[in-house]
Amino acid sequence: DVVMTQSPLSLPVTLGQPASISCRSSQGLVYSDGNTYLNWFQQRPGQSPRRLIYQVSKRDSGVPDRFSGSGSGTDFTLEITRVEAEDVAVYYCMQGTHWPYTFGQGTKLEI
Amino acid sequence: QVQLQQSGPGLVKPSQTLSLTCAISGDSVSSSRTTWAWIRQSPSRGLEWLGRTYYKSTWYKDYAVSVKSRIIIDPDTSKNHFSLQLHSVTPEDTAVYYCARDLHGARSFDIWGQGTMVTVSS
């Protein structure tokens, strides 16, 4: 199975400041159709995961534009331009290129 | 608006069967555009995909190697839901269980159920 490794596992931030989370895969994530199926999820306390980003950089409907995804190959990043209080959550990357889909271990964003 | 509503017991005894149901509204379990999956989350194993079912002229089911000998995922077209059965459970199966939707071609999970905390204990 493809191993997804996130860093850091804990990220203390200041409101209004930027934040960045890294995700590395043990194999390249370019699928046979040319797309890269790397996703980012947000899980607030007591809630189900919510998808923020799919195919590396495409934001889901309703996701604030302060969230952005980038990367290629095996290295990917989720960035928040200015952290708000509602962003306190655990963030997970997930690859959908290789079967079975696999998740990173999560990064806890703390104010 | 697509919603997934989970139901099932929160406590299961060791060696017994864990059974959960995921009711779909706003979509169809037999849609050719969708795959329906079960995922669980525990402190020790993180988020773990367990299996999926989908319809493309016939029903398909795929299971994670870690649970393949103990798991059944079944669709029910009359009730528009799909179910999870995990047999011979142990305390290691204690987790929050989620159902989720994967649109064909998206290779991702865009809609999730509310989650069910299942504890395996006597």
Side-chain angles (χ1 to χ4, degrees):
Chain A
D1 296 357
V2 175
V3 177
M4 306 298 288
T5 303
Q6 292 182 228
S7 63
L9 298 185
S10 178
L11 182 56
V13 295
T14 302
L15 291 177
Q17 295 300 304
S20 179
I21 300 171
S22 171
C23 176
R24 288 189 171 176
S25 58
S26 60
Q27 297 178 36
L29 297 186
V30 179
Y31 190 57
S32 55
D33 63 5
N35 292 320
T36 300
Y37 294 99
L38 187 284
N39 308 274
W40 289 97
F41 294 87
Q42 175 193 64
Q43 187 174 32
R44 292 177 173 140
Q47 296 186 12
S48 304
R50 167 200 180 197
R51 195 178 69 184
L52 299 176
I53 303 281
Y54 62 99
Q55 290 183 33
V56 181
S57 59
K58 297 178 180 179
R59 264 193 310 274
D60 271 278
S61 174
V63 174
D65 60 8
R66 64 178 181 275
F67 289 92
S68 64
S70 63
S72 62
T74 61
D75 290 327
F76 304 91
T77 302
L78 175 70
E79 293 184 320
I80 309 173
T81 51
R82 292 173 304 280
V83 172
E84 298 190 5
E86 66 179 17
D87 300 336
V88 168
V90 180
Y91 293 84
Y92 296 93
C93 60
M94 186 206 91
Q95 66 82 21
T97 296
H98 302 281
W99 198 251
Y101 301 165
T102 48
F103 293 86
Q105 65 271 61
T107 295
K108 187 173 184 179
L109 189 74
E110 303 171 299
I111 305 295
Chain B
Q1 182 185 359
V2 179
Q3 291 187 318
L4 303 178
Q5 181 67 37
Q6 298 177 220
S7 59
L11 181 63
V12 183
K13 289 182 167 48
S15 80
Q16 295 194 344
T17 297
L18 180 161
S19 296
L20 297 174
T21 297
C22 182
I24 303 163
S25 57
D27 203 339
S28 171
V29 71
S30 55
S31 167
S32 60
R33 301 182 312 116
T34 51
T35 293
W36 304 99
W38 286 98
I39 297 157
R40 68 182 177 182
Q41 183 176 31
S42 66
S44 58
R45 304 170 76 102
L47 284 159
E48 179 186 16
W49 174 86
L50 297 177
R52 65 176 182 174
T53 187
Y54 60 98
Y55 183 78
K56 272 196 180 295
S57 302
T58 189
W59 286 100
Y60 293 87
K61 302 172 189 179
D62 298 306
Y63 301 127
V65 170
S66 61
V67 294
K68 192 169 187 176
S69 63
R70 304 190 287 130
I71 189 172
I72 298 173
I73 294 176
D74 268 331
D76 185 330
T77 56
S78 66
K79 296 179 181 177
N80 201 32
H81 74 205
F82 62 108
S83 62
L84 167 69
Q85 287 187 298
L86 189 63
H87 300 285
S88 305
V89 296
T90 71
E92 291 258 311
D93 295 310
T94 294
V96 179
Y97 287 75
Y98 295 99
C99 58
R101 183 181 82 162
D102 176 8
L103 284 173
H104 284 311
R107 306 183 72 82
S108 181
F109 300 115
D110 64 333
I111 306 291
W112 294 64
Q114 81 273 23
T116 302
M117 177 67 214
V118 179
T119 301
V120 179
S121 174
S122 53

